[in-house]
């Protein structure tokens, strides 16, 4: 196979560099075979599997992940404080990052999150005081490349550029004008409204407001922030030329989005280095897994730079937990159908991005899988797997909540899953490939946890 042109150009540039060096040092030209290890030996072009995998990936649009837009520092700093500050919750006992902990890969390591009223973090967070949120907390990685937001995509921008959210017209044109990062700027407007996540049922002025008083709840939060120094100055520094009195919670929401975008983009995994030309970045097992992933049907849904088509599919994941009010007992979760009303969307959820997936367990919209290999294995005869789903992998209090609705789920399972069967060896390979999507930098983000907050409230985090 002829070497691509850039490679020959690289070889020429290197040779020129070597000549230049020898000219200065007066040494004899180095033996090319003993030259520096550039990660691609002289035989690199002869690795047909690596080339094939690169071509298959390109064919699926699995390209390198672009860096996010630059975000001004004052906005990032404001957003960081707000994301960690419990003052945004009704009873001041939970922050955004309580459920999206840096030390737990911006999740909480629980199948389902536990909202306001509970104490403790991650595996140690207790539930008697708080309640389970119906869904798993997704990681906040690479959100500049992901849209629509939430498992059911209820925050999205349509083809004509109009943003849709559950708040409808209460998200005013003035608020929308503040949003700099698309749908992500709108996203933080919503957890603060949710009684179970942050607002609470009683005991504070925000909980006393009705659920449809979004405007008043947001205004109440800004009133709180206005009384805490130095928040007003921080807002005015982040939004030059504007007065705090004239700002709305949209300014806070946009700042949190700016923080998430600026600090949580990761695009230096072994896979990225492989795409950039380093054949040895993947182990042989991972390379074999990459090929399986690309020729099996995985990449028909997990594609693009973030490994998601940003669409919705039913991949037959068991349903558990309190549910979102759907089905006979209210404990079911119809997923995308809640947004579109279409029966064909029942049990469909957004294709999860897969970068750093190794770190973001439990997996699935309700954390039904506590082992990554088991999730990969699930795709092999997923109908059989769903019917024989083993709840013993769940934490005890959730084990009895698994719904006996396998046949209903399978009725709208994505046809792409028909006939998918993997050997155990293939499951090992694809799982190994999943690990090649981890950017090592994503393992060490505890530094994002601020030592203290303007409100003086305790910081939930794991700063090291
Ligand atoms: C009680 C735990 C909890 C708290 C507190 C919380 N979240 Fe989440 N977060 C979740 C869960 C669960 C979901 C998924 C909900 C869904 O899809 O229906 C989620 C979804 C998200 C998403 C969407 C990610 C995606 O891939 O679509 C973002 C972004 C996010 N949260 C940021 C925040 C911010 C910002 C705050 C604070 C304003 C916050 N969260 C507060 C648990 C929490
Ligand atoms: C028909 C589209 C589709 C196909 C094909 C598909 N996936 Fe998925 N994948 C999804 C959706 C949708 C989810 C979320 C489902 C849910 O939680 O209910 C998901 C979830 C996952 C998760 C869990 C990620 C997380 O963070 O929770 C992994 C891992 C995964 N898929 C890997 C694979 C692999 C490996 C293959 C090939 C064997 C594959 N997928 C094939 C659509 C698909």
């Amino acid at each position: 196979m002829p070497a691509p042109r850039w490679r020959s150009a690289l070889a020429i540039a290197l040779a020129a560099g070597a000549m230049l060096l020898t000219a200065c040092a007066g040494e004899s030209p180095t033996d090319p075979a003993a030259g520096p290890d550039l990660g691609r030996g002289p035989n690199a072009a002869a690795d047909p599997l690596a080339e094939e995998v690169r071509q298959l990936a390109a064919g699926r649009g699995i390209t390198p992940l672009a860096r996010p837009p630059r975000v001004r520092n004052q906005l990032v700093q404001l957003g960081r404080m707000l994301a960690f500050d419990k003052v945004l919750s009704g009873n001041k006992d939970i922050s955004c990052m309580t459920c999206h902990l840096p030390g737990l890969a911006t999740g909480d390591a629980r199948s389902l999150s536990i909202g306001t009223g509970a104490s403790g973090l991650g595996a140690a967070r207790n539930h008697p005081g708080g309640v389970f949120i119906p869904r798993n907390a997704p990681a906040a990685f690479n959100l500049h490349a992901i849209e629509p937001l939430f498992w059911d995509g209820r925050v999205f921008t349509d083809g004509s550029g109009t943003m849709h959210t559950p708040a409808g017209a209460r998200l005013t044109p003035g608020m929308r004008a503040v949003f700099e990062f698309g749908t992500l700027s709108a996203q933080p407007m919503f957890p603060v409204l949710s009684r179970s996540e942050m607002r609470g049922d009683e005991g504070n002025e925000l909980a006393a407001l009705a659920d449809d008083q979004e405007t008043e709840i947001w205004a109440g939060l800004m009133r709180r922030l206005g009384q805490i120094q130095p928040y007003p100055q921080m807002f005015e520094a982040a939004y030059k030329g504007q007065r705090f009195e004239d700002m709305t919670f949209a300014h806070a929401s946009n700042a949190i989005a700016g923080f998430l975008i600026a600090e949580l983009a990761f695009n230096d995994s072994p896979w990225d280095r492989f795409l950039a030309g380093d054949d040895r970045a993947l182990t042989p097992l991972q390379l074999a897994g990459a090929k399986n992933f690309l020729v099996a049907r995985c990449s028909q849904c997990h594609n693009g730079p973030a490994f998601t088509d940003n669409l919705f599919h039913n991949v037959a994941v068991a349903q558990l937990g309190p549910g979102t009010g759907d089905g006979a007992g209210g404990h079911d979760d119809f997923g995308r159908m809640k947004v579109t009303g279409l029966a064909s969307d029942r049990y469909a959820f957004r294709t999860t991005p897969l970068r750093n997936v190794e770190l973001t367990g439990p997996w699935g919209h309700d954390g039904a899988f506590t082992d990554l290999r088991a999730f990969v294995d699930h795709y092999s005869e997923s109908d059989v797997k769903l019917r024989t789903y083993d709840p013993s992998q769940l934490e005890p209090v959730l084990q009895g909540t698994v719904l006996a609705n396998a046949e209903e789920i399978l009725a709208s399972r994505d046809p792409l899953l028909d006939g998918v069967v993997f050997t155990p060896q293939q499951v090992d390979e694809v799982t190994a490939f999943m690990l090649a999507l981890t950017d090592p930098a994503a393992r060490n983000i505890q530094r994002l946890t601020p030592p203290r907050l303007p409100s003086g409230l305790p910081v939930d985090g794991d700063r090291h």
Side-chain angles (χ1 to χ4, degrees), residues 88 94-96 98-100 108 113-116 133 135-140 143 146 148-152 154 184 187-188 191-192 196-198 256 260 350:
L88 296 190
I94 186 167
S95 76
C96 304
T98 305
C99 297
H100 298 282
D108 53 9
S113 294
I114 302 172
T116 178
I133 307 301
R135 292 179 181 157
N136 173 267
L143 289 171
I146 295 159
L149 294 173
F150 290 119
W151 286 102
D152 52 18
R154 61 189 180 275
L184 185 59
Q187 191 281 337
V192 296
S196 54
E197 287 187 24
M198 296 184 80
I256 296 175
L260 297 175
R350 189 190 63 193

Side-chain angles (χ1 to χ4, degrees), residues 350-362:
R350 189 190 63 193
T351 304
T352 48
L354 293 178
R355 286 173 172 277
N356 300 324
V357 68
E358 170 190 7
L359 311 176
T360 62

Side-chain angles (χ1 to χ4, degrees), residues 297-298 301-302 313 315 349 352 363-365 375 379 414 422 430:
R297 297 177 200 161
C298 313
C301 302
H302 297 279
H313 306 272
V315 298
F349 294 88
T352 48
W363 295 271
H365 69 271
F375 204 117
Y379 283 103
D414 197 297
F422 278 154
V430 173

Side-chain angles (χ1 to χ4, degrees), residues 308-320:
T308 171
D309 55 5
N310 291 317
L311 296 174
F312 303 85
H313 306 272
N314 170 356
V315 298
V317 172
Q319 181 56 38
L320 59 101

Side-chain angles (χ1 to χ4, degrees), residues 229-246:
Q229 300 304 327
Y231 271 130
Q233 293 91 313
M234 290 180 77
F235 274 90
E236 290 178 358
Y239 298 98
K240 290 262 155 48
Q242 296 183 54
R243 296 184 328 155
F244 181 77
E245 295 73 42
D246 300 330

Side-chain angles (χ1 to χ4, degrees), residues 14-27 30:
L14 285 169
M19 269 148 61
L20 211 66
L21 263 178
T22 45
C24 302
E27 286 168 13
T30 34

Side-chain angles (χ1 to χ4, degrees), residues 125-442:
R125 190 163 174 79
N126 65 16
H127 46 84
V131 295
F132 279 110
I133 307 301
R135 292 179 181 157
N136 173 267
F141 295 132
N142 299 318
L143 289 171
H144 65 291
I146 295 159
E147 129 104 48
L149 294 173
F150 290 119
W151 286 102
D152 52 18
R154 61 189 180 275
V155 174
F156 68 101
T157 303
D158 68 20
S160 65
T162 306
M163 191 190 296
H164 297 261
T165 79
R170 285 186 284 271
L171 206 63
T172 63
M175 289 174 161
R176 288 161 188 258
V178 173
F179 296 156
E180 297 170 64
F181 313 105
T183 43
L184 185 59
S185 287
Q187 191 281 337
M189 306 289 292
F190 297 95
V192 296
L193 300 175
S194 159
R195 288 191 183 277
S196 54
E197 287 187 24
M198 296 184 80
R199 190 156 61 97
D201 287 321
E202 54 186 21
N204 69 82
E205 84 283 12
L206 305 174
L209 293 163
D211 289 354
D212 62 359
Q213 290 184 288
E214 288 101 333
T215 315
E216 289 76 11
I217 298 167
W218 290 326
L221 285 166
M222 288 306 274
R223 209 168 304 121
R224 282 187 180 190
L225 292 172
Q227 287 159 6
I228 299 169
Q229 300 304 327
Y231 271 130
Q233 293 91 313
M234 290 180 77
F235 274 90
E236 290 178 358
Y239 298 98
K240 290 262 155 48
Q242 296 183 54
R243 296 184 328 155
F244 181 77
E245 295 73 42
D246 300 330
M247 295 188 200
T248 67
F249 194 71
H251 291 81
S253 184
N254 180 64
I256 296 175
F259 160 69
L260 297 175
I261 277 193
E263 299 287 7
L264 295 170
F266 294 101
N267 66 353
D268 192 20
S269 65
W271 171 251
D272 294 291
R273 277 174 264 136
F274 173 81
L275 280 187
D278 181 354
D279 282 0
R280 296 187 212 166
L282 301 188
T283 65
L285 199 66
Q286 290 172 337
L287 191 57
K291 178 163 176 188
N292 287 335
F293 184 89
L294 292 160
V295 298
R297 297 177 200 161
C298 313
S299 63
Q300 296 205 19
C301 302
H302 297 279
N303 53 41
F307 290 87
T308 171
D309 55 5
N310 291 317
L311 296 174
F312 303 85
H313 306 272
N314 170 356
V315 298
V317 172
Q319 181 56 38
L320 59 101
T324 53
D326 295 327
H331 297 310
D332 213 338
D333 182 348
F334 289 167
R336 183 63 176 163
M337 183 185 164
K338 300 180 82 67
V339 178
T340 64
L342 299 172
S344 54
D345 283 335
R346 187 176 298 178
Y347 303 115
F349 294 88
R350 189 190 63 193
T351 304
T352 48
L354 293 178
R355 286 173 172 277
N356 300 324
V357 68
E358 170 190 7
L359 311 176
T360 62
W363 295 271
H365 69 271
D366 52 2
F369 291 90
T370 51
D371 177 72
L372 182 56
R373 189 186 185 281
F375 204 117
V376 176
D377 189 44
H378 162 80
Y379 283 103
S380 179
E381 300 185 281
S382 54
D383 48 347
V384 179
K385 295 284 168 41
L386 177 60
R387 290 187 183 112
T388 56
Y389 174 75
D390 175 12
S392 73
Q393 63 191 294
L394 301 170
E395 57 185 284
V397 68
L398 290 176
Q399 288 178 10
T401 68
V402 179
L403 290 190
N405 62 350
E407 301 315 314
E408 286 153 81
I409 294 178
L410 291 173
S412 59
R413 185 183 73 162
D414 197 297
L416 275 173
L417 268 50
D418 293 352
V420 173
V421 184
F422 278 154
T423 64
Q425 169 71 18
Q426 287 170 320
V427 175
D428 286 343
E429 291 167 358
V430 173
T431 307
F433 172 58
M434 297 287 102
L435 307 196
L437 304 178
T438 306
D439 181 334

